[in-house]
Amino acid sequence: MFQVKADILSKEEVIPGVFSLTIVSPEISRNAKPGQFVHILCGSENDNFVLRRPFSIHRVVPGRAFEILFRVVGKGTEALSRAKIHESLDVIGPLGNSFTYSEKLESALLIAGGLGVAPLIFLAEELAERYVKLYPMIGAQEKAKLLCYIDFKRMGKKTYAATEDGSIGHQGTVVDLLNRTIHQIRPQVIYACGPKPMLRKIAETADEFGIDCQVSLEAKMACGIGVCLGCACVTKKGYKMVCKDGPVFNARDLVWDQDEVGRLPSGGCMCETQETQDSD
Amino acid sequence: MSVNLSVNLAGIKMKNPVMPASGTFGTGREFSEFMDIKSLGALVAKTVTLRPVVGNKPPRICETNSGMLNSIGLQNEGIDHFLKHDLPYMRKFKVPIIVNIAGNTLEEYAQMCRDLHGVEGVSGIELNISCPNIKAGGIAFGASARLAEQVTAAARYNTDLPLIVKLTPNVYNISKIARAVVSAGADAVSLINTVVGMSINIKTFEPCLANITGGLSGPAIKPIAVRMVWEVAQTVNVPIIGIGGITTAEDAIEFLLAGATAVAVGTANFINPRATIEIIHGIEAFLKERELTDIKQIIGKVKT
């Protein structure tokens, strides 16, 4: 892991309130693996003391830069959305573990709700290079809020979409879509990221079909490097730290405790749970 | 012109007055990727207990204005694991190591002091009698002068190492507690531990922490800590480690002026892993700028 002062190369408001930032860091881009995250100091030094915000690495420009994708949900992301091109950010990364796959992997289903798609693009690009057959499945409230549909399309992948209003793809949730299509697809592995209640249902489906399932979690986090023990999640082997033991966990190892699920309403690109701790 | 930053903390010789606060630095392993641990005045290990502790339910932390609440619950692997796995690693840095311990009973504190007796590389013991996030022990000892005295005496009887007692701010009269632990044999005191606080999510009507309350740390508590260090410095004649929201060299200097011989940096480590090192450089620059040659020239020099 590195602590770098990294310049913003480009910034785009992908859909209203959702931004992508490309940040120059050869160190981070060279070492990053899909599923890992960066911890960014958001806002100027004159601002109030604010914890770093974690962001999934959305994609890398090999050897040069990396991209993050986030929604403005609190004061950290709000400050970051105002950052200007060429401005320098204090970034620590790459952090955490990564999605894993065997050399022999032939097919994978990538499923995301909302901003959960952020880490899956990086994974999809890496798996595509290895000629793994990919089934991307993404969901949103409506077509206008569906993220990364075009990115998957550009990769030449048949992309399954679910929207609550049916404006594109299946009308309903991405979990419904999964349950309707899993029989035909039968992937070797499912990679999932999104709100925890959604992940829980995906884990149940994966379990039912005996499919290996890896989920990327988020939690309120302080240090991001495994020191403060703040971002604990409950697993069958006891408390594990989302920042260091995760953010990717095998779904079978997690304890999907109802109380805890209720306490973690959002999910996706790492920063959302962190951000919802302030009153927006 | 060279500046002498070294301090002697109750027999612990530190090349500068800056150390991490217990529980914010692990064993230094993660931080060694960002900074040279050897530059620190001392290393302070995360609280160890006699037996492993699993810690509290999540969510364990929550950001607040200029600070954060935590309720980790002293998660650690126990002293045997610490001695076998963590201490040998920490020794490699060749800086004084202060081992922070917490117990549920007087006997547990005493037992851990015996376990640490004669162990290579241990320069001092810090008694955590101020953790607000565990049910038994912890703050229960630190909030009563009588119990604080008893636990210090129990530790004192079982160790010859420099003994530091970490005090809680969650008391009416911290000077009284400081006097009690010094009378029982404490060689130094460190203050403050976190301030008990609470935060509520108004969307869900639920407390932000699963433990409901937690310990507040960060810049929000600094003025409380400076006041308490200043008060305790008037009261007892042992060195003080000043702790509470130190983020910059300027913050550290306030504590030194208030009467702290050394300072510990806590929550700032989470935001800037190089915070300790930057503070050391900043203190040195501050002294040079004022043509001072020794850090002792500012310790306790607040003009009141």
Side-chain angles (χ1 to χ4, degrees):
Chain A
M1 50 193 170
F2 305 89
Q3 183 179 17
V4 294
K5 295 272 187 227
D7 287 356
I8 299 172
L9 187 67
S10 66
K11 172 174 135 180
E12 187 192 349
E13 189 162 8
V14 187
I15 59 170
V18 175
F19 292 81
S20 94
L21 281 185
T22 304
I23 300 164
V24 181
S25 170
E27 299 92 336
I28 292 174
S29 117
R30 221 175 275 138
N31 290 284
K33 293 191 286 260
Q36 288 191 296
F37 69 98
V38 289
H39 219 190
I40 302 182
L41 205 53
C42 303
S44 74
E45 284 175 22
N46 300 328
D47 285 355
N48 273 343
F49 181 90
V50 178
L51 293 172
R52 283 174 188 268
R53 297 293 190 255
F55 297 89
S56 297
I57 298 172
H58 180 43
R59 134 185 311 127
V60 296
V61 182
R64 174 135 197 259
F66 65 90
E67 196 180 329
I68 59 171
L69 183 73
F70 64 94
R71 179 166 54 178
V72 174
V73 279
K75 62 185 176 189
T77 43
E78 164 67 30
L80 200 59
S81 73
R82 280 187 271 108
K84 296 189 176 60
I85 292 173
H86 302 312
E87 206 175 300
S88 187
L89 295 172
D90 182 332
V91 185
I92 294 177
L95 299 172
N97 69 354
S98 57
F99 291 108
T100 55
Y101 49 86
S102 89
E103 292 291 315
K104 292 179 231 151
L105 183 67
E106 283 169 5
S107 65
L109 190 150
L110 280 57
I111 180 167
L115 262 297
V117 74
L120 297 185
I121 290 288
F122 186 10
L123 177 66
E125 290 182 348
E126 186 168 298
L127 293 178
E129 278 178 22
R130 306 178 68 95
Y131 306 105
V132 175
K133 177 106 176 96
L134 299 180
Y135 302 93
M137 206 170 270
I138 50 180
Q141 284 162 292
E142 52 177 332
K143 186 180 179 185
K145 289 183 180 164
L146 197 65
L147 292 162
C148 299
Y149 187 70
I150 197 76
D151 301 74
F152 285 120
K153 282 283 191 191
R154 270 195 209 120
M155 291 167 70
K157 305 297 168 197
K158 174 173 164 52
T159 303
Y160 297 78
T163 49
E164 282 169 29
D165 65 355
S167 48
I168 186 172
H170 168 79
Q171 180 171 8
T173 68
V174 75
V175 174
D176 298 337
L177 182 57
L178 174 73
N179 290 337
R180 286 164 62 118
T181 50
I182 188 89
H183 321 272
Q184 302 131 36
I185 298 176
R186 291 277 175 171
Q188 285 175 310
V189 57
I190 295 175
Y191 298 105
C193 184
K196 216 166 173 187
M198 177 194 116
L199 295 180
R200 182 185 192 169
K201 287 181 189 149
I202 293 169
E204 284 165 5
T205 300
D207 209 33
E208 192 183 318
F209 286 86
I211 299 168
D212 182 38
C213 177
Q214 298 176 26
V215 299
S216 175
L217 299 186
E218 55 176 46
K220 291 179 182 181
M221 201 174 272
C223 73
I225 57 175
V227 167
C228 73
L229 311 185
C231 60
C233 68
V234 192
T235 77
K236 288 174 185 155
K237 293 170 196 151
Y239 290 127
K240 296 284 176 192
M241 297 306 137
V242 170
C243 74
K244 196 171 182 181
D245 304 312
V248 180
F249 291 89
N250 190 310
R252 281 193 198 103
D253 294 338
L254 294 171
V255 176
W256 299 92
D257 179 66
Q258 192 58 57
D259 291 343
E260 201 215 341
V261 169
R263 283 175 160 276
L264 295 169
S266 54
C269 62
M270 296 289 295
C271 64
E272 303 231 323
T273 299
Q274 178 85 345
E275 287 278 273
T276 48
Q277 67 198 356
D278 43 66
S279 49
D280 297 349
Chain B
M1 187 182 67
S2 76
V3 179
N4 180 16
L5 289 179
S6 71
V7 295
N8 184 326
L9 187 93
I12 304 171
K13 293 188 176 66
M14 296 171 55
K15 57 181 165 293
N16 64 64
V18 180
M19 65 184 97
S22 178
T24 65
F25 211 74
T27 56
R29 192 186 295 271
E30 291 78 8
F31 286 85
S32 67
E33 299 200 28
F34 303 107
M35 56 172 275
D36 183 11
I37 306 286
K38 291 191 184 79
S39 316
L40 292 170
L43 260 178
V44 185
K46 175 166 170 64
T47 297
V48 288
T49 51
L50 195 57
R51 277 175 281 277
V53 172
V54 295
N56 290 338
K57 272 171 83 170
R60 293 177 171 185
I61 60 159
C62 147
E63 187 172 290
T64 59
N65 285 343
S66 294
M68 64 178 274
L69 286 167
N70 87 77
S71 180
I72 309 298
L74 298 185
Q75 177 176 342
N76 80 100
E77 304 279 353
I79 194 160
D80 292 342
H81 181 276
F82 173 80
L83 291 173
K84 204 168 161 199
H85 299 283
D86 297 335
L87 189 64
Y89 175 81
M90 295 172 79
R91 267 201 294 261
K92 290 194 301 192
F93 297 114
K94 306 247 182 287
V95 297
I97 296 166
I98 296 170
V99 180
N100 180 300
I101 60 171
N104 295 308
T105 62
L106 293 180
E107 179 46 34
E108 285 189 8
Y109 282 98
Q111 178 63 49
M112 282 187 282
C113 285
R114 287 194 292 274
D115 290 346
L116 290 165
H117 179 78
V119 174
E120 186 200 339
V122 178
S123 298
I125 296 176
E126 183 176 52
L127 300 185
N128 179 357
I129 57 165
S130 42
C131 177
N133 299 324
I134 52 171
K135 285 198 179 72
I139 203 168
F141 287 109
S144 146
R146 189 176 55 85
L147 291 177
E149 193 173 335
Q150 283 175 8
V151 71
T152 307
R156 178 77 290 165
Y157 186 75
N158 286 286
T159 187
D160 297 326
L161 287 165
L163 185 63
I164 304 157
V165 181
K166 187 163 181 176
L167 305 179
T168 173
N170 304 298
V171 292
Y172 172 66
N173 186 345
I174 196 167
S175 296
K176 191 176 158 192
I177 312 282
R179 259 197 307 270
V181 301
V182 170
S183 76
D187 299 307
V189 286
S190 52
L191 60 143
I192 57 177
N193 205 319
T194 55
V195 179
V196 177
M198 178 170 172
S199 197
I200 299 170
N201 181 334
I202 61 164
K203 286 177 191 156
T204 62
F205 289 23
E206 288 175 320
C208 295
L209 299 176
N211 195 42
I212 302 175
T213 63
L216 181 64
S217 64
I221 69 167
K222 197 190 81 181
I224 301 173
V226 172
R227 186 269 292 181
M228 289 187 160
V229 165
W230 176 73
E231 251 179 44
V232 170
Q234 314 297 304
T235 313
V236 296
N237 258 329
V238 298
I240 297 169
I241 303 172
I243 318 169
I246 297 173
T247 307
T248 63
E250 289 76 11
D251 296 335
I253 290 160
E254 271 194 63
F255 279 88
L256 296 169
L257 289 168
T261 296
V263 292
V265 179
T267 307
N269 291 314
F270 302 154
I271 292 175
N272 176 12
R274 294 178 44 79
T276 45
I277 237 68
E278 288 172 11
I279 289 168
I280 294 166
H281 293 152
I283 294 173
E284 190 174 9
F286 175 89
L287 295 173
K288 277 185 178 160
E289 217 171 88
R290 278 159 189 74
E291 299 185 341
L292 298 170
T293 55
D294 197 311
I295 185 126
K296 292 167 207 72
Q297 288 171 284
I298 65 167
I299 293 173
K301 291 294 156 59
V302 59
K303 295 174 183 171
T304 49

